Amino acid sequence: MSNATTARFSRRGLLAAGGALGLGALVTACGSEDSKDGGSDAKGAAKSGPWSFKDDRGKTVSLDHVPTKIVAFTGVAAALYDYGIEVEGVFGPTRTKDGKADVQAGDMDVSKLTVFGNRFDQFNVEQYAAFQPEVLITTTFDAAGSLWYVPLASKDKIAKLAPSVAISVFDRQIPKPLQRMAELAESLGADLKAAKVVEAKKRFEAASERLRKAAKSRPEIKVLAGSASDAIFYVSGSNFSIDLEYFKALGVNLVEPPEKAKKANGGWFENLSWENVDKYPADIIMMDDRASTIQPADITEATWKKLPAVKAGQVISRSPEPILSYDKCTPLVENLAKAIESAKKVA
């Protein structure tokens, strides 16, 4: 997607409905550039000696030792934490206005983190330089490999201070990014054979099978993925989003806005006014759980309250930017399976 295209979207729109278009511009990783099919060059869980990792841009970052001075997007740091890799420096939604942990911080103790930027387009480059990072790790939401939450204005300065690694969350199903994050964690010293990790993966696979069975037994249940702002209700299509593409593959009957309606937003989602929030009938509504959006309990629009799914109490949370560990993704799959199993046909 061209910069001219992405530049048209507002910050609110970019963060809504899983339509993260990756405005953090492409930062080229230090090291050699390999083939574009991805894969890890890491040598397992070695904690010392040379380190290298080929990211999802097909670029290999190589260091003479396993990095410990890691700076990562908050959700990535939270995923690595679940594998036992603690990251000290983060950027992205970390603390809410009241100082509590943002949903994207997972189980991390945010009081112990060095935060270089807590919101979109915010990154303290001077503080980052003083931290002396060895590698920057984030996700990418587009085919170009743009680094998520790395500001366009300061990307070049940031790129000169440390190599970068990107895990793609664009146009693929969630098992692939989960696998790639696990490989990255292993390269940094995680033990993927640890009982906790093995059990988490088994639970994810069991949850996925449960969702497959639920969707097959209740094909009439229509599920809508939404996100709320003051003036706009966003309806996500399944294109590009790792969770929705996976749910669709498992047989979930998702509301799919027409391509023409999503075109203005890069094919990710459709904008609706609150007056037209009832455009798509739905039995279950999955609502964006990120702090940048309005949560269901705080929506005061009368048209929202009249929706059959809302009146029936069939509204569940969705994480458009899921923390990419099996431990954190399992509940997302389980919650949808449970909702479909118990849903009343109301649309």
Side-chain angles (χ1 to χ4, degrees):
M1 184 176 303
S2 68
N3 288 335
T5 300
T6 58
R8 293 201 307 267
F9 305 127
S10 67
R11 174 179 178 274
R12 175 73 70 180
L14 283 164
L15 296 178
L21 302 181
L23 276 185
L26 176 64
V27 180
T28 302
C30 296
S32 61
E33 179 173 348
D34 291 359
S35 62
K36 296 184 179 180
D37 57 356
S40 173
D41 286 338
K43 304 299 182 182
K47 295 184 179 180
S48 62
W51 177 83
S52 66
F53 187 85
K54 186 190 294 182
D55 74 1
D56 290 340
R57 299 170 298 176
K59 297 181 181 297
T60 298
V61 176
S62 298
L63 300 174
D64 60 7
H65 62 281
V66 178
T68 56
K69 297 282 285 186
I70 301 169
V71 173
F73 174 70
T74 302
V76 171
L80 292 174
Y81 184 88
D82 287 346
Y83 287 105
I85 307 299
E86 295 194 28
V87 175
E88 297 178 9
V90 299
F91 58 98
T94 307
R95 302 187 185 104
T96 58
K97 293 180 179 179
D98 57 6
K100 295 180 180 180
D102 187 276
V103 65
Q104 295 192 63
D107 295 333
M108 294 189 296
D109 183 347
V110 298
S111 68
K112 296 180 179 180
L113 298 173
T114 299
V115 184
F116 301 106
N118 195 60
R119 61 179 185 270
F120 193 73
D121 218 24
Q122 179 189 74
F123 198 113
N124 190 321
V125 180
E126 290 73 21
Q127 184 187 21
Y128 178 66
F131 185 81
Q132 296 184 320
E134 294 175 311
V135 66
L136 180 149
I137 308 174
T138 186
T139 52
T140 179
F141 277 86
D142 61 28
S146 303
L147 298 183
W148 185 229
Y149 263 76
V150 173
L152 198 62
S154 54
K155 69 178 183 66
D156 293 335
K157 292 180 180 179
I158 293 169
K160 292 177 181 178
L161 295 170
S164 60
V165 167
I167 298 298
S168 178
V169 288
F170 173 71
D171 197 18
R172 58 190 59 192
Q173 296 174 26
I174 201 167
K176 182 63 176 178
L178 279 173
Q179 175 189 339
R180 295 292 288 134
M181 189 63 71
E183 291 171 357
L184 175 59
E186 183 179 40
S187 79
L188 295 169
D191 180 6
L192 298 190
K193 294 182 181 179
K196 179 181 179 181
V197 176
V198 173
E199 179 58 30
K201 187 174 182 180
K202 287 182 178 178
R203 287 191 292 107
F204 176 79
E205 291 169 346
S208 297
E209 184 57 29
R210 178 183 176 183
L211 179 55
R212 187 192 304 276
K213 291 179 178 179
K216 184 176 181 180
S217 65
R218 302 295 307 277
E220 76 281 7
I221 299 300
K222 199 77 173 177
V223 180
L224 181 146
S227 186
S229 71
D230 291 332
I232 299 173
F233 183 80
Y234 305 87
V235 179
S236 282
S238 64
N239 305 44
F240 310 139
S241 297
I242 57 173
D243 61 331
L244 299 184
E245 285 198 9
Y246 188 49
F247 297 157
K248 186 176 182 179
L250 291 175
V252 175
N253 185 3
L254 291 169
V255 169
E256 195 72 62
E259 293 302 317
K260 183 178 180 180
K262 297 183 293 182
K263 186 176 181 180
N265 299 305
W268 288 85
F269 53 91
E270 178 181 2
N271 296 352
L272 296 179
S273 66
W274 283 104
E275 289 76 14
N276 295 317
V277 73
D278 60 353
K279 179 177 179 179
Y280 298 108
D283 302 292
I284 296 171
I285 301 176
M286 296 190 297
M287 289 295 290
D288 190 336
D289 67 356
R290 291 173 295 181
S292 58
T293 67
I294 300 175
Q295 297 306 299
D298 299 319
I299 299 176
T300 59
E301 300 289 342
T303 48
W304 163 261
K305 295 180 179 180
K306 291 179 181 178
L307 293 177
V310 175
K311 293 171 68 175
Q314 295 177 176
V315 178
I316 64 174
S317 64
R318 175 197 171 213
S319 298
E321 292 182 66
I323 294 172
L324 293 173
S325 70
Y326 292 103
D327 181 71
K328 293 298 183 292
C329 286
T330 296
L332 309 180
V333 182
E334 288 178 337
N335 290 345
L336 180 55
K338 181 179 179 181
I340 292 175
E341 291 166 350
S342 60
K344 297 178 182 178
K345 181 62 183 174
V346 296

